[in-house]
Amino acid sequence: MKRYIAAFTLILFLVSCGGKSEKTMTVSGTIDGLKKGTLYLQHIKDSTLATIDSLELRGDGSFTFSHEIESPQLFYLYLKKADNNDINDRITFFGEPSEIFIKTKWNTFDALPEISGSASHESYSKCLEMLSKFNKRELELKRAGLSQEIQNDSVAFDSIVELSNRNIISKYRYVLNFALNNPDSYVTPYLALHEASDANPKYLDSINRALVPEVAQSKYGRALNAYVQSIK
């Protein structure tokens, strides 16, 4: 009898120490060319960027982080290099309970990192690619509107304003269409909150009500619901 108890206790110990739950996110990868630095896994907690874990890297750019998460959300990898240069040293990714792999280079850390293993990040990345086009167009129009020639021409200035408004509407339309067509994506409430919060409340309410239960109960799902209720 004692043998069975001992064996059962050993199994429980091994499971508790080495097992991974359904909410475990493992982030591993390589930073090519890195010789020395500190890598931080971060997220937004209570509106503040907080560090979850850190790892000293010496002579090898390989890393692994494991973290229990409530639901898919944005995370950040921040690299503090020995050169004390904080520019372009943070990678943003949409994490979820899965095995996520990130490959990048020390001197172009946040420039086109290869990220795989997160379905949420794939959707997020595609959305960002489209949104960057709208943002780029908006920047171009703002620059054009600041030129002295345009400022002195009321017709031309009004045309710039009209183009800018159309661009913003097109951006909202893209986000709203994505959200309404993807109620099962954890990216949906995040985009609605951060890219279309000024849209017509009735559209945001439609998105909120269409979310599947799992997404509605996620971090961003609850935040979207709270926001919608506050603007009704």
Side-chain angles (χ1 to χ4, degrees):
M1 184 65 178
K2 292 182 178 179
R3 289 182 182 178
Y4 291 119
I5 294 175
F8 182 70
T9 302
L10 178 60
I11 291 173
L12 288 178
F13 176 78
L14 292 174
V15 170
S16 63
C17 292
K20 295 181 180 179
S21 75
E22 294 180 351
K23 294 186 176 182
T24 301
M25 175 184 72
T26 301
V27 184
S28 60
T30 59
I31 307 172
D32 293 345
L34 182 68
K35 300 300 181 184
K36 183 179 180 181
T38 306
L39 188 65
Y40 297 85
L41 177 64
Q42 303 174 320
H43 69 158
I44 299 296
K45 182 178 181 181
D46 299 328
S47 302
T48 303
L49 185 63
T51 295
I52 299 169
D53 200 356
S54 63
L55 183 64
E56 295 286 336
L57 301 177
R58 296 290 184 271
D60 185 1
S62 298
F63 64 89
T64 299
F65 290 113
S66 287
H67 180 60
E68 298 291 303
I69 66 175
E70 173 194 358
S71 59
Q73 58 182 278
L74 282 186
F75 289 89
Y76 308 89
L77 281 183
Y78 168 61
L79 177 62
K80 185 177 181 181
K81 296 182 292 190
D83 61 4
N84 295 317
N85 185 350
D86 294 334
I87 299 176
N88 301 326
D89 285 343
R90 183 170 281 111
I91 292 174
T92 302
F93 68 96
F94 218 105
E96 61 183 28
S98 64
E99 300 277 345
I100 300 173
F101 187 80
I102 299 177
K103 182 178 181 181
T104 186
K105 298 180 180 179
W106 76 273
N107 57 339
T108 54
F109 185 69
D110 72 336
L112 300 177
E114 298 177 22
I115 303 175
S116 59
S118 170
S120 295
H121 183 78
E122 290 182 17
S123 296
Y124 176 67
S125 182
K126 290 178 181 178
C127 289
L128 283 188
E129 186 177 350
M130 181 60 69
L131 290 172
S132 68
K133 296 179 181 179
F134 292 116
N135 294 335
K136 181 179 179 181
R137 177 60 173 161
E138 182 63 22
L139 184 59
E140 292 172 348
L141 291 171
K142 284 184 178 179
R143 286 176 176 172
L146 291 174
S147 72
Q148 196 64 45
E149 182 180 356
I150 296 295
Q151 296 251 336
N152 293 332
D153 187 336
S154 60
V155 175
F157 183 79
D158 289 344
S159 177
I160 291 293
V161 172
E162 177 62 22
L163 289 173
S164 177
N165 289 336
R166 289 182 182 179
N167 185 63
I168 293 173
I169 291 173
S170 295
K171 176 183 175 180
Y172 281 171
R173 185 175 294 138
Y174 168 77
V175 173
L176 295 175
N177 283 338
F178 173 88
L180 290 171
N181 289 318
N182 296 274
D184 58 344
S185 173
Y186 290 93
V187 177
T188 288
Y190 176 83
L191 286 182
L193 276 170
H194 293 84
E195 299 293 344
S197 60
D198 292 333
N200 191 312
K202 71 177 183 180
Y203 295 125
L204 294 176
D205 186 47
S206 295
I207 293 170
N208 184 47
R209 288 187 287 105
L211 296 176
V212 300
E214 293 80 6
V215 176
Q217 292 302 315
S218 69
K219 175 180 179 178
Y220 299 134
R222 294 195 305 271
L224 175 61
N225 181 64
Y227 178 72
V228 169
Q229 300 308 316
S230 71
I231 61 176
K232 277 188 174 181

